[in-house]
Amino acid sequence: MFYPPLAMTFKIRLTLISLLALAGMFSCGSNCPAQSATAKPTVAEALAFIASTEQELNTLQIDAARAGWVEENFITDDTVAILAQANDRLIARQTELIGQARRFEGLALPPDAARKLLLLKLSIGLPAPSDPKLRAETTQLAAGLDAAYGRGKWCPDADPEHCLGIDEIGVKMAQSRDPKELANLWAGWHAVGAPMRGDYARLAELSNQGARELGYSDTGALWRSQYDMTPDEFQADIERLWKQVEPLYLELHTYVRRKLIEKYGDAARRPDGMIPADLLGNPWAQEWGNIYDVVAPPASPLPYDLGAILKARNTDAPHLVQYGEGFYKSLGFDALPETFWKRSMLSHPRDRDVVCHASAWDIDNVKDVRIKACFQPTADDFVVVHHELGHNYYQMAYRNQPFFFRDGANDGFHEAIGDAIALNVTPDYLKKLGLIDQVPPASADIPLLLHTALDKIAFLPFGLLIDKWRWQVYSGEVKPDHYNAAWWTLREKYQGVAPPVARTEADFDPGAKYHIPGNVPYMRYFLARVYQFQFYRAMCQAAGYKGPLNRCSVYGSKEAGARLNAMLELGHSKPWPEAMKAIAGTDKADASAIIEYFQPLLVWLKEQNKGEKEGWTLPADSMK
Ligand code: X8Z
Ligand code: ZN
């Protein structure tokens, strides 16, 4: 998504133009302290600048949020143009304010004020050149790419009635067990990316120019600067976490590959040991829970099929969301506001193009929270509901913070809240909801853990590689004529998956993943996979739970809710390690909780994989 990515997933972060914004002057009007261009600025001037900036950005942000909301709910040439203009104003003003704030550098400010100036400098998600023509080109390209994804369809034949959007393709790829059909669906959806290549390359170039004007080497460096440590330290921290979890992924990959070969034979077998990316139940092979039935241990079907139960009960989208809301309420959080139900888009409208990819919004930075999604009664969407509500409850928890602190401790925190809550959807909890009649015996733990691992563990290398690709693109290490090859080099290296049909540079497969045309940074989701288990374990401890981690549900625990809220209400007011401390008692990201959660499965997988060759070989030209 092109407007600052936070706009879509949690809020419009930065904002529009002000008539008060005269060159070299603060927009504090008659309240401006006396000043001159050369005089050394005072603390009072800095505080006045911050106060007026917060007010201005807050007001203007609402307009940009509305433009984004309407465009994604009703994609037309006009809404795309309106969005581009809103973001043009937003980025222009943001860039000006960052420039003006430079004069306060080196001034001894109160810690909160210094942090606000730092956040002002960091919080621009799509930097653009200050040349108005180039900036307009940037915002138009970005809005166009977002719309192109939303409009994307695969038409298997000449009848337009048969065209499929990504929500329908997602369901078909989850359910089909026919390798030919899967390859067609995969290739059909990935064709959506190809026309985006030129625009994407130009957008990266323009965005880099904007980043350089702001003092960063490229847009990737700006993105990596958002984590209360240097970009290099951040990269090292990511590698540390990946090394902690990589062994789990290798075991899962080895097991799943064998089961797929048992099921599909040659269609799944490759001499290099990689898995064809279309056989994993998801258009991007990012989460594999949908193929549980294919890889299930003998005589161990899942004890219940949540998707089938929801469907049999004709659970509609609002009802699905009410399940999620019920969980948050049980922890002591408020009900969702009336306006949430009136203004959210919860199902695919019949008669217009929308961006179906689920997102949570905070339109007015106070209480106008909403979800935009095309929910279906599936187990996947049961999780997505909790995920999106996690964003909305975070937004509501930090709404009393000043403007600059109304955000997550970092973007990974924002992505982790709802997932941490969804981990509590245990058999015990489903029985409490009346969705199942009986809690399955302890022997069902391995099937349930395997199902969860297919989503959570399988995702880890995917979450890692998307921005590894984008960082290479932004740094210039990967040039446009190698976009697709570089994408697959990373997919092969980290995930051990291969394209089911031949790829060339006529394809642009990154474009078929929402967050690339949508300009949403992705490392946040990798971080969130680690954080969510830390948050979940901390809530379980707060609730006084003592058993195996995978069976914990804190449903109804006000103590767990209070522990969570202690972190949520901090928003972005403190560096993220302090927020981590507030919930988990440690100031480090740490994969020990995810490892603890899956420990029984890891033992089981190792047993299953005995004698099996682990891993895969990479093509010689990508071994560097
Ligand atoms: O994009 C999302 C959320 C919205 S913030 C639905 N997720 C990533 C994805 O779908 O690729 C959640 C998991 C990863
Ligand atoms: Zn999210």
Side-chain angles (χ1 to χ4, degrees):
M1 163 112 7
F2 109 89
Y3 36 87
L6 307 185
M8 182 272 310
T9 44
F10 1 120
K11 73 172 192 172
I12 290 275
R13 187 72 185 75
L14 303 170
T15 188
L16 309 178
I17 202 157
S18 157
L19 296 174
L20 297 172
L22 304 172
M25 267 185 83
F26 311 137
S27 48
C28 39
S30 56
N31 296 326
C32 277
Q35 56 176 292
S36 84
T38 50
K40 197 170 174 297
T42 64
V43 171
E45 283 168 7
L47 297 181
F49 170 81
I50 291 166
S52 70
T53 298
E54 290 202 287
Q55 207 178 18
E56 182 186 4
L57 294 186
N58 187 46
T59 308
L60 298 172
Q61 197 174 71
I62 294 166
D63 293 347
R66 292 215 161 94
W69 175 265
V70 172
E71 185 266 339
E72 289 216 336
N73 275 269
F74 186 58
I75 306 173
T76 69
D77 295 347
D78 296 311
T79 59
V80 171
I82 290 166
L83 174 61
Q85 283 162 9
N87 281 290
D88 188 77
R89 293 192 293 270
L90 178 158
I91 293 165
R93 187 65 187 132
Q94 174 68 9
T95 307
E96 278 173 357
L97 288 167
I98 292 171
Q100 290 172 15
R102 288 216 177 94
R103 63 193 302 260
F104 303 116
E105 276 167 15
L107 202 61
L109 291 171
D112 270 10
R115 182 160 178 81
K116 286 177 182 178
L117 288 183
L118 173 76
L119 295 180
L120 169 66
K121 201 177 144 199
L122 285 173
S123 50
I124 192 154
L126 179 69
S130 46
D131 175 329
K133 252 179 87 182
L134 295 180
R135 191 176 56 239
E137 188 186 350
T138 311
T139 55
Q140 281 159 17
L141 283 170
L145 284 165
D146 186 59
Y149 185 92
R151 286 172 167 144
K153 283 183 186 63
W154 175 51
C155 304
D157 55 46
D159 185 346
E161 290 288 310
H162 295 167
C163 294
L164 303 170
I166 186 54
D167 47 337
E168 294 150 313
I169 290 177
V171 170
K172 282 186 185 294
M173 289 195 73
Q175 290 170 356
S176 172
R177 301 293 176 252
D178 170 358
K180 276 213 183 75
E181 185 187 19
L182 284 166
N184 284 338
L185 287 162
W186 188 96
W189 177 249
H190 279 76
V192 161
M196 298 177 189
R197 170 188 286 262
D199 284 355
Y200 188 80
R202 177 70 180 145
L203 181 61
E205 188 183 342
L206 289 164
S207 162
N208 269 342
Q209 189 178 327
R212 278 184 215 113
E213 285 184 24
L214 291 173
Y216 299 92
S217 54
D218 62 70
T219 300
L222 165 60
W223 287 5
R224 292 191 299 279
S225 302
Q226 317 261 348
Y227 298 92
D228 300 297
M229 52 176 86
T230 67
D232 286 351
E233 285 166 348
F234 178 63
Q235 251 167 308
D237 216 36
I238 292 290
E239 291 307 320
R240 174 181 67 84
L241 296 172
W242 170 238
K243 287 295 156 205
Q244 274 188 284
V245 294
E246 191 182 12
L248 270 81
Y249 181 70
L250 274 179
E251 294 296 342
L252 188 68
H253 182 281
T254 307
Y255 174 78
V256 166
R257 181 181 58 195
R258 176 164 63 81
K259 288 289 175 184
L260 287 170
I261 292 171
E262 276 171 28
K263 164 90 181 168
Y264 293 118
D266 283 349
R269 192 180 292 113
R270 292 176 53 99
D272 55 17
M274 290 192 232
I275 302 176
D278 58 332
L279 300 182
L280 290 158
N282 174 278
W284 309 276
Q286 67 179 64
E287 279 152 338
W288 306 348
N290 291 320
I291 58 155
Y292 179 82
D293 58 311
V294 177
V295 305
S300 291
L302 266 188
Y304 49 82
D305 177 347
L306 183 54
I309 295 167
L310 295 169
K311 211 164 289 153
R313 294 177 175 225
N314 291 324
T315 313
D316 61 11
H319 197 169
L320 212 58
V321 178
Q322 277 159 9
Y323 280 127
E325 183 196 28
F327 201 106
Y328 289 88
K329 285 203 300 198
S330 87
L331 300 182
F333 292 95
D334 290 344
L336 291 164
E338 255 325 278
T339 48
F340 172 93
W341 299 105
K342 263 180 43 200
R343 297 173 186 167
S344 289
M345 180 195 100
L346 301 178
S347 309
H348 197 152
R350 247 173 304 172
D351 55 352
R352 61 182 203 259
D353 284 330
V354 298
V355 175
C356 265
H357 189 87
S359 52
W361 299 64
D362 181 5
I363 299 285
D364 67 353
N365 283 330
V366 184
K367 56 183 181 323
D368 191 354
V369 293
R370 311 175 189 177
I371 286 178
K372 182 187 62 56
C374 303
F375 287 131
Q376 315 207 34
T378 63
D380 277 357
D381 277 354
F382 200 74
V383 173
V384 176
V385 158
H386 292 80
H387 175 97
E388 298 307 335
L389 288 179
H391 289 306
N392 285 152
Y393 275 99
Y394 207 170
Q395 290 154 346
M396 291 191 283
Y398 57 58
R399 66 178 153 211
N400 293 326
Q401 290 284 352
F403 172 81
F404 277 117
F405 299 157
R406 281 182 219 149
D407 204 347
N410 69 36
D411 53 7
F413 273 60
H414 231 302
E415 297 303 337
I417 307 307
D419 283 6
I421 296 298
L423 287 173
N424 293 279
V425 178
T426 56
D428 255 346
Y429 171 60
L430 291 174
K431 179 153 187 281
K432 275 186 193 140
L433 289 186
L435 285 172
I436 58 174
D437 298 330
Q438 269 183 356
V439 174
S443 60
D445 275 20
I446 292 295
L448 287 168
L449 277 170
L450 177 59
H451 184 249
T452 309
L454 288 167
D455 283 336
K456 300 290 181 187
I457 302 292
F459 181 82
L460 290 161
F462 184 83
L464 184 75
L465 72 85
I466 303 293
D467 276 356
K468 280 191 178 267
W469 179 82
R470 251 188 308 209
W471 295 348
Q472 290 175 352
V473 166
Y474 284 131
S475 75
E477 188 184 335
V478 167
K479 306 268 184 296
D481 56 351
H482 278 87
Y483 275 173
N484 223 53
W487 175 261
W488 282 104
T489 298
L490 291 165
R491 299 266 272 157
E492 289 165 355
K493 176 175 173 183
Y494 287 103
Q495 284 187 286
V497 302
V501 292
R503 310 314 278 161
T504 69
E505 290 302 328
D507 303 301
F508 181 56
D509 295 328
K513 176 67 196 161
Y514 170 71
H515 303 70
I516 301 295
N519 191 45
V520 182
Y522 210 82
M523 202 54 89
R524 58 182 64 182
Y525 300 108
F526 173 76
L527 292 172
R529 287 291 142 134
V530 176
Y531 296 162
Q532 64 189 254
F533 286 88
Q534 287 188 270
F535 298 167
Y536 170 66
R537 182 167 67 181
M539 284 190 275
C540 292
Q541 282 162 358
Y545 177 78
K546 296 274 187 286
L549 192 51
N550 58 300
R551 284 196 223 144
C552 161
S553 179
V554 301
Y555 181 70
S557 167
K558 301 289 182 282
E559 292 78 10
R563 179 77 77 89
L564 176 63
N565 194 52
M567 181 264 277
L568 297 183
E569 68 185 7
L570 289 176
H572 206 182
S573 63
K574 303 280 181 234
W576 70 259
E578 287 187 48
M580 181 64 85
K581 203 155 201 165
I583 181 165
T586 168
D587 58 6
K588 281 216 157 14
D590 170 25
S592 68
I594 188 171
I595 292 168
E596 178 185 339
Y597 184 96
F598 287 111
Q599 191 54 37
L601 181 74
L602 188 60
V603 172
W604 183 87
L605 282 173
K606 281 190 170 146
E607 189 60 34
Q608 306 299 309
N609 290 342
K610 265 196 185 140
E612 195 76 19
K613 190 169 172 294
E614 250 186 22
W616 53 92
T617 46
L618 296 172
D621 57 1
S622 69
M623 297 281 281
K624 306 165 265 166

